[in-house]
Amino acid sequence: MKPETDFKTPSVAAEGIVKDFGTFTALKRVDLTIDQNEFFTLLGPSGCGKTTLLRLIAGFEAPTEGEIKLMGENIATLPPFKRSINTVFQNYALFPHMTVSENIGFGLKMLGKPRAEIAARVDEMLALVKLQDFAKRRTGQLSGGQQQRVALARALAPSPRVLLLDEPLSALDYKLRKEMQVELKRLQTETGITFIFVTHDQEEALTMSDRIAVMSAGEVLQVGDARAIYDRPANRFVADFIGEANFLEGRVESREGTQHRVALAGGTLAATGDVPVDPGAAVTVMIRPEHVQIVAEKTEGGLPALLERTVFLGTDTHYYLRMQDGAEFIAREQNRSATVTPFAPGANVHIMVDAQSTRLLRD
Ligand code: ATP
């Protein structure tokens, strides 16, 4: 049931997309290519334009400028129902008076498919989302998780090239959401359909996506896989939005290639950047809390800090520190042994971090 693919042409391409609503610009020249068979996530805070971009791809809205291409073809003139694209909405939008089977077969019926073909496809979809025992139930009598599965099966039944998912898990409780994340990933892999998933939940994005586009205020700030975005964020917004991060302000003292020595309050730190930044430039060094080591003695490459608070959390200890310029700094250490006592509040300590685990961000 996987769609035929050549894998070279992007499944969806957004080229120079601008979307104005009156005088407000919701999307400011967005360029994106989404590959075939990809689980692609649009991630960003509320109001950044994720849903607007999804609606443009679906054809519910037209771009002010730019083109949306599906398998290399401009689809500007195609109405939503003629695009090989389906959408799963946050509220599922099921037909409550119809049974599960009727809901799943609805799109195929609208396409005028023969009865036997619809019945076979509905059975296939019921098996895919594991709802065989619920075929005759009305959807109003199902739990939230079951309704979500029906909505997925209904959207997948006509074998669209692309499935758009707009925060489809946000109405579910935590445990069910976790289960459905695994389920969605499985459905995407098994069907080979391109999934474009919208969320503001970074953990959800990291769990499922092949690649993530981080958006803010109508712009795409970075596109990459989870690891790249977490380890090598393009800027401070991305670093802060995905995971926890410390930011230290400083100035480049010297550099060799992309390895920099940065002068900060209390000392210098070796920091890695994406591009070379010349000496004298003001920069921010990003450090993830779990990449920090705390030592009692002054050591080469260590920065002095005052330990203000220690929180023991069983598996980890969190340290809340104050740097010499007054900046707050958080470090997290795994408790690898029951015999090691965490540092106590009030201690003057030093923080150490490997240059490869730092990220130099230009101000
Ligand atoms: P959320 O996670 O809250 O759904 P989002 O990132 O999906 O947010 P959008 O719904 O795409 O954001 O909205 C982006 C911006 O465009 C918002 O400021 C919103 O108010 C504005 N907007 C969206 N649709 C319209 C419209 N039809 N008319 C005017 N402004 C709109």
Side-chain angles (χ1 to χ4, degrees), residues 103-178:
N103 265 278
I104 296 175
F106 182 80
L108 300 170
K109 204 168 156 193
M110 289 295 106
L111 291 170
K113 299 282 181 202
R115 240 172 210 238
E117 189 186 321
I118 296 176
R121 185 67 178 156
V122 167
D123 282 348
E124 203 182 336
M125 290 296 107
L126 284 168
L128 187 71
V129 298
K130 301 180 182 142
L131 281 179
Q132 295 99 320
D133 297 343
F134 296 86
K136 300 270 173 294
R137 281 255 194 116
R138 290 199 194 287
T139 54
Q141 303 165 336
L142 297 176
S143 72
Q146 289 163 342
Q147 289 187 26
Q148 181 59 267
R149 284 165 200 271
V150 178
L152 281 164
R154 187 180 63 178
L156 289 168
S159 298
R161 284 235 172 236
V162 179
L163 188 68
L164 307 176
L165 303 112
D166 193 356
E167 309 232 13
L169 308 183
S170 56
L172 305 177
D173 67 39
Y174 181 77
K175 191 164 170 281
L176 203 52
R177 209 158 64 227
K178 291 267 135 205

Side-chain angles (χ1 to χ4, degrees), residues 21 24 26 45-52 61 167 200:
F21 292 110
F24 177 75
S46 183
C48 71
K50 309 178 294 287
T51 299
T52 301
E61 301 267 2
E167 309 232 13
H200 59 264

Side-chain angles (χ1 to χ4, degrees), residues 69-116:
K69 289 182 175 162
L70 178 66
M71 293 301 290
E73 286 185 32
N74 187 355
I75 51 172
T77 56
L78 282 188
F81 67 94
K82 288 221 170 132
R83 302 182 179 198
S84 185
I85 297 175
N86 254 348
T87 307
V88 177
F89 298 98
Q90 188 176 351
N91 59 5
Y92 318 141
L94 296 173
F95 306 116
H97 56 286
M98 289 187 195
T99 65
V100 167
S101 286
E102 285 163 351
N103 265 278
I104 296 175
F106 182 80
L108 300 170
K109 204 168 156 193
M110 289 295 106
L111 291 170
K113 299 282 181 202
R115 240 172 210 238

